[in-house]
Amino acid sequence: MVQRARVRSLAGILAATVIGLGVLGGPAAAQVPPTPHALPPAHPNAVSARGLPGSWIIGVDPRNRAATAFAARSASKRLTGLPAFVVATGRARALARSERRRGALLYSEPDVSSTRAQSAGPGSLAQYNGWRSYLVPNGLNPPAAGPLLVLIDSQVDLTHPAIQGGHIRSSSSAAPTDEHGTATSGLAAGLDSVLGFQGVWPGANTEVVVTDLSCTSVAQGVLQAVTMHAAVINMSLGSPQPCFTLYLSLMAAVGAGVLPVASAGNEFLQGNPISFPASFPHMLTVAAVSLPSLAPAFFSTRNLGVDLAAPGVKIVSPVPPQFDTDSDRDGWLAVSGTSASAPMVAALATWIKAIRPDLDGQQIATLLRSTAKPIYLPLVYNPDTGYGLPQLAAALQAPTPNRSLFEPNDDIPLVDGQFFGQPDPFVWTGAGSQTIVGGLDLFKNPADVYRVQVPGHSVMHVRLRAQLGIVTLAVFGSRAKTTAAHPIARRRIRRTGAVVVRNRGGTAVMYVQAKTASVGAIYHMTIGH
């Protein structure tokens, strides 16, 4: 039996279902983003007139060696580990046209930019660090050593006492260009014993991978963190426009067992738009609250993709003195934003990994959600603050969640080799039966897709019992490139149901999909003759 983790708690699912999505308010987090096929205008003058980014990203099927080699010769850069090639915007149409002729064009999109999710606030009291006690119980000491926490961020002031005291490293030796990377890494792992400042885990094994805010730079930073064997990746940045290449890099991280953490965004007063990467599937998304009331920060983005909340208003943080904008210029600044909240939770997740090293990233996320302290009782879940404030002690002791063995498997391209070259193993090859226990979440894990191998001239039965919610069960043929294709069989199941597929030809590869048709679902599925 293949056991898979429940992504949201039963109470949270029921609360969201009873209240209704409209009342909960705000845009929901995106599900699997659509594969983009955007190209710049053909005329060079139109490119400059529209203010398009200077580079474009072309996705090429990694299984087509000739097409990949051609793209490598034509592009200025390839993102290691992804089928993504970066070209000058003016050359994007020609490369896309060539790859389309080869039948190898997967996607095309502009190299969009994000913004930092932080803003400076008034006041500076370096000796005050009261926010930490809301997350780390008094007397609970971190382990002496642990796994790697990586922050995708701007350069750190490596000379700052809190950064030196926390032994925080950087992938760059350049001078800092803003306060952001110093503040976020300091809140996660900084230590200044003279002033009494401590991050969530002072002295944690922490490295800042320095990137700019372009999609390709951030995506490459994520992939670099994976090669460094990071346990947790923090991204205190966001964009209202999804970047498919960044999505792929994050799915590669999830597949490697890494937990990606992102700030929810600071745009509540700007219409509360969805922010990416926070709204991609499988992310742990963190909103901001004020202290001591724990009220949602007035700026914190609100939607059904928010998982947790942490302090994020006027948080005293280390910053480079040249970017200290208050009156004393002492290298300490009260900052506000979900940028501050996310690295706090990322450090907690890394702490859990240190104590419970057998857990993967999605299991750690499940622990943090399921043990959080709700802020708005009697609701267990609220779109302002998610499941609430993380409870480290409870998460360290809670029962181990079931592991999801096949994530990310939200759509066919993630499991058949289109995006990553190597397909997932078959869950069934025609012998006996296979039972899968799965959990789905409309906002974090909307669907599960499994590869099966159906023997020639045989019949495959797929039986499903919906323990909670409503599940759409579907089977797709070997020619399907995505679950947007027409299925061989489909059935909407409230309690129990089955589909039967007859293979009248030779041995065939097929794809079985379980997709939630409600806010969340738990299912038991058996595949066999």
Side-chain angles (χ1 to χ4, degrees), residues 60 76 89 128 160 193 254 256 267 298 313 332 345 409-410 412:
V60 178
S76 60
T89 296
Y128 176 69
H160 195 289
S193 56
V254 170
E267 287 73 43
F298 69 89
V313 179
W332 296 91
V345 174
N409 63 341
D410 307 304
I412 291 173

Side-chain angles (χ1 to χ4, degrees), residues 125 155 192 286 378 404:
L125 294 172
Q155 173 62 331
D192 187 332
V286 186
S404 179

Side-chain angles (χ1 to χ4, degrees), residues 55-229:
S55 57
W56 219 262
I57 310 170
I58 305 296
V60 178
D61 192 331
R63 299 167 297 182
N64 189 323
R65 294 184 178 180
T68 300
F70 179 81
R73 293 193 299 270
S74 305
S76 60
K77 180 174 64 175
R78 178 179 183 177
L79 271 67
T80 304
L82 290 184
F85 295 85
V86 184
V87 296
T89 296
R91 298 168 53 200
R93 295 182 69 88
L95 178 56
R97 186 168 53 248
S98 297
E99 298 298 2
R100 187 181 290 113
R101 285 199 299 266
R102 292 176 169 83
L105 180 65
L106 292 179
Y107 70 94
S108 54
E109 65 177 348
D111 189 5
V112 299
S113 292
S114 298
T115 57
R116 307 291 184 196
Q118 179 174 300
S119 61
S124 179
L125 294 172
Q127 70 273 19
Y128 176 69
N129 197 30
W131 59 265
R132 187 176 184 271
S133 63
Y134 285 81
L135 299 172
V136 180
N138 293 330
L140 185 60
N141 297 317
L148 178 63
L149 167 61
V150 166
L151 295 92
I152 309 297
D153 221 304
S154 59
Q155 173 62 331
V156 181
D157 181 359
L158 296 171
T159 67
H160 195 289
I163 300 302
Q164 291 183 331
H167 308 295
I168 297 168
R169 305 179 302 278
S170 173
S171 66
S172 171
S173 58
T177 56
D178 60 25
E179 82 291 344
H180 198 269
T182 304
T184 56
S185 59
L187 292 173
L191 175 63
D192 187 332
S193 56
V194 174
L195 295 175
F197 176 88
Q198 294 184 83
V200 169
W201 180 352
N205 181 16
T206 304
E207 180 149 349
V208 176
V209 171
V210 178
T211 70
D212 61 34
L213 290 166
S214 68
C215 172
T216 51
S217 181
V218 176
Q220 190 66 73
V222 170
L223 297 170
Q224 182 178 342
V226 174
T227 63
M228 296 164 63
H229 304 291

Side-chain angles (χ1 to χ4, degrees), residues 329-350:
R329 297 272 184 164
D330 61 355
W332 296 91
L333 187 67
V335 300
S336 297
T338 56
S339 265
S341 311
M344 297 177 187
V345 174
L348 293 177
T350 311

